[in-house]
Amino acid sequence: MSLHAAGREPVLRLEGVRKSFGDTEVLRGLDLTVHEGQVVVLIGASGSGKSTLLRCVNLLEVVDDGRITLEGDDVTDPRVDADAVRARMGVVFQAYNLFPHLSVLDNITLAPVRVHKVPKAEATERAMAMLERVGLPEKASARPDDLSGGQQQRVAIARALVNQPRLMLLDEVTSALDPELVGEVLDLLRELKDEGMTMVLNTHEMGFARQVADTVCFLHGGVVHEQGPPAQVLDDPRQERTRRFLARVHA
Amino acid sequence: MVSAASTVLLLGVVVALVVTSPGWPRVRETFLDPHKAVEAFPAVLEGLWLNIRVMLVCGVLIAVVGLTLAVMRTVRGPVAFPLRLFATAYVDLFRGLPLLLVLFVLGFGAPALRLSGLPSSALFWGSCALVLSYSAYVAEVFRAGIESVHPSQRAAARSLGLSYGQTMRHVVLPQAVRRVVPALMNDLVSLQKDSGLIAVLGVIDAIRAAQIETALDFNFTPYVVAGALFVCLTIPMARFTDHVARKQGFHGAGGHL
Ligand SMILES: Nc1ncnc2c1ncn2[C@@H]1O[C@H](COP(=O)(O)OP(=O)(O)OP(=O)(O)O)[C@@H](O)[C@H]1O
Ligand SMILES: [Mg+2]
């Protein structure tokens, strides 16, 4: 963490974030700080609130209490323009969520044209460059349904990246994929990390967490129960809960 | 081959039964008189042209009003409550009221109000009644389409920074409308027939024209002519509906010839 200039504003900071659904309190005063260029991997049992955390950051859920700041701007302020906040982040979902009625190219240019008001020609140019980047330039005019799962997920990543987000949120982006397709997506994420993209991601793949994470956070009881570099949290956890979770995952 | 043979055979039996029945000569005279048919044809056809125009104009208006109502009913949040309430009340009211009743109330009541700026023609108010009734049905079809679009599609659109309106316009509605096109085509076929109901207001459409022709000599052939013309209009639309439905992958025995 010494890599990150101490005085710089973190890209993302969560302070005492609480979120309940009815009687179930999912997040119970959770704190998390993500610095520029850092890759934070969230692990935890099913239902521990990993997806909820990402949805709160993206303002798809309204937090009950606490503060979330994006580059110093309080985004939990009710007066904030949620669309403008979301436009600064890229989200990739487990089920890709591509728009089936649009071509691959139109999926990618939709937000640049409609949200960022980029001229159509320039947006197309950027989208093609992005497809090149994810290795799918020949699929520009294809429909999402005609692509493999891995290809769809790479398009979804391109769709998020083309808006030059300050922060990428990735929710189990490989768990809907056949094992042989996981590699192509993980390679892409590793490249993104090397380029300095700030990312928060959920995963059940401890091997991948080990490879890309700067920090691994173990979610339990609605808070970050343990966090640290992957070598420490995954190989030599200090907390009993973390140890038990990892034993179950490895079993 | 087998289907053709069985169809011909069945038709033959039905025709033979009808033609050999004791009342047949009389029925043929009053319902299937070729001279009368030729004589009435131009008037009925002219009436049908009115039906077609009513159907096209009302069809477009119904689509616009129906879609607007459906979007109003699906807006979320407490601020939009009046919108939802209005749209729900509208749909409940006009789906419950028989079309004929709406026609009578509007067709005879509205012109009597002598509202300034609004035409008092029966054609105008009859068409209004069709639009009011049908848009309630069509709104429900659109709403079903909107609700069939998975919430994750909205989440993906919103996460890209699209506003609620942009999400509706570019992501939800295109998918919703595509899914309900076959159902809408069905409603259009039905509207085409119901456009004949404005005849009760005295508008001279195909049915009213046939009625006038019939009144001259109590020969009902003009009705048969009108019926045949309506069917001729409906069949291509029905086949087109099947074609659209099949293209979208709604397979199944229904609709296949
Ligand atoms: N919209 C919602 N309404 C009600 N309960 C919800 C909603 N979203 C999530 N929950 C509940 O919140 C809890 C946390 O869910 P969440 O999806 O964040 O878990 P997760 O850590 O992502 O799990 P997984 O690893 O299975 O994806 C679960 O108990 C879930 O049932
Ligand atoms: Mg989850």
Side-chain angles (χ1 to χ4, degrees), chain A residues 19-22 24-27 43-55 61 94 171-172 202-204 219:
Chain A
K19 177 70 193 171
S20 306
F21 295 106
T24 37
E25 208 178 10
V26 180
L27 303 179
I43 60 170
S46 183
S48 57
K50 305 183 294 294
S51 300
T52 303
L53 192 158
L54 295 188
R55 293 177 63 85
E61 302 286 357
Q94 181 175 349
D171 193 354
E172 296 190 35
N202 294 348
T203 187
H204 284 296
L219 257 64

Side-chain angles (χ1 to χ4, degrees), chain A residues 4 11 16 25 56 73 79-81 84 98 118 128 145 164 169 187 190 200 216 227 232-233 235-236 242:
Chain A
H4 308 289
V11 174
E25 208 178 10
C56 286
D73 304 333
R79 287 164 302 179
V80 83
D81 177 358
L98 294 177
V118 177
M128 284 311 297
D145 288 342
Q164 297 165 326
L169 307 173
D187 287 344
R190 218 171 289 129
V200 180
V216 174
Q227 68 174 312
Q232 184 243 303
V233 177
D235 299 326
D236 184 22
T242 316

Side-chain angles (χ1 to χ4, degrees), chain A residues 58 86 97-99 101 114, chain B residues 152-153 158-159 166 170:
Chain A
N58 198 230
R86 293 193 191 105
N97 298 7
L98 294 177
F99 306 129
H101 62 297
R114 301 292 164 191
Chain B
S152 65
Q153 288 284 309
R158 297 310 295 272
S159 77
Q166 288 174 322
H170 298 289

Side-chain angles (χ1 to χ4, degrees), chain A residues 62-80:
Chain A
V62 181
V63 301
D64 299 333
D65 197 12
R67 229 163 73 103
I68 300 176
T69 50
L70 182 68
E71 297 177 297
D73 304 333
D74 184 354
V75 299
T76 36
D77 186 329
R79 287 164 302 179
V80 83

Side-chain angles (χ1 to χ4, degrees), chain A residues 24-249:
Chain A
T24 37
E25 208 178 10
V26 180
L27 303 179
R28 306 179 183 193
L30 183 139
D31 298 314
L32 182 69
T33 304
V34 182
H35 292 279
E36 170 114 47
Q38 198 184 6
V39 176
V40 172
V41 172
L42 307 173
I43 60 170
S46 183
S48 57
K50 305 183 294 294
S51 300
T52 303
L53 192 158
L54 295 188
R55 293 177 63 85
C56 286
V57 170
N58 198 230
L59 308 185
L60 290 171
E61 302 286 357
V62 181
V63 301
D64 299 333
D65 197 12
R67 229 163 73 103
I68 300 176
T69 50
L70 182 68
E71 297 177 297
D73 304 333
D74 184 354
V75 299
T76 36
D77 186 329
R79 287 164 302 179
V80 83
D81 177 358
D83 295 328
V85 172
R86 293 193 191 105
R88 290 156 68 184
M89 302 181 226
V91 182
V92 184
F93 300 88
Q94 181 175 349
Y96 338 124
N97 298 7
L98 294 177
F99 306 129
H101 62 297
L102 298 178
S103 69
V104 163
L105 187 69
D106 291 341
N107 261 276
I108 301 175
T109 57
L110 181 63
V113 172
R114 301 292 164 191
V115 180
H116 302 269
K117 309 293 178 205
V118 177
K120 182 84 191 181
E122 195 191 328
T124 304
E125 209 171 290
R126 276 201 222 165
M128 284 311 297
M130 202 46 78
L131 277 174
E132 201 82 53
R133 168 86 184 64
V134 300
L136 293 168
E138 75 285 358
K139 298 292 185 191
S141 56
R143 294 274 153 175
D145 288 342
D146 297 334
L147 304 183
S148 75
Q151 291 171 333
Q152 288 191 52
Q153 195 57 296
R154 283 188 280 156
V155 172
I157 293 172
R159 181 174 72 177
L161 281 179
V162 79
N163 301 306
Q164 297 165 326
R166 298 289 294 118
L167 171 70
M168 286 282 279
L169 307 173
L170 304 107
D171 193 354
E172 296 190 35
V173 292
T174 58
S175 45
L177 297 177
D178 290 335
E180 71 266 31
L181 299 178
V182 170
E184 61 191 60
V185 173
L186 294 191
D187 287 344
L188 182 57
L189 296 183
R190 218 171 289 129
E191 282 171 39
L192 278 183
K193 173 193 163 70
D194 294 340
E195 286 164 21
M197 178 61 74
T198 313
M199 296 193 269
V200 180
L201 51 99
N202 294 348
T203 187
H204 284 296
E205 315 218 9
M206 297 308 147
F208 177 59
R210 203 184 307 271
Q211 286 177 46
V212 296
D214 295 308
T215 304
V216 174
C217 295
F218 173 62
L219 257 64
H220 178 80
V223 296
V224 176
H225 195 68
E226 178 167 3
Q227 68 174 312
Q232 184 243 303
V233 177
L234 297 177
D235 299 326
D236 184 22
R238 297 198 181 127
Q239 302 290 335
E240 176 56 29
R241 289 276 182 197
T242 316
R243 216 169 293 147
R244 264 195 262 162
F245 169 74
L246 289 170
R248 238 182 307 134
V249 170

Side-chain angles (χ1 to χ4, degrees), chain B residues 219-230:
Chain B
N219 186 310
F220 295 105
T221 307
Y223 280 131
V224 177
V225 171
L229 285 175
F230 268 110

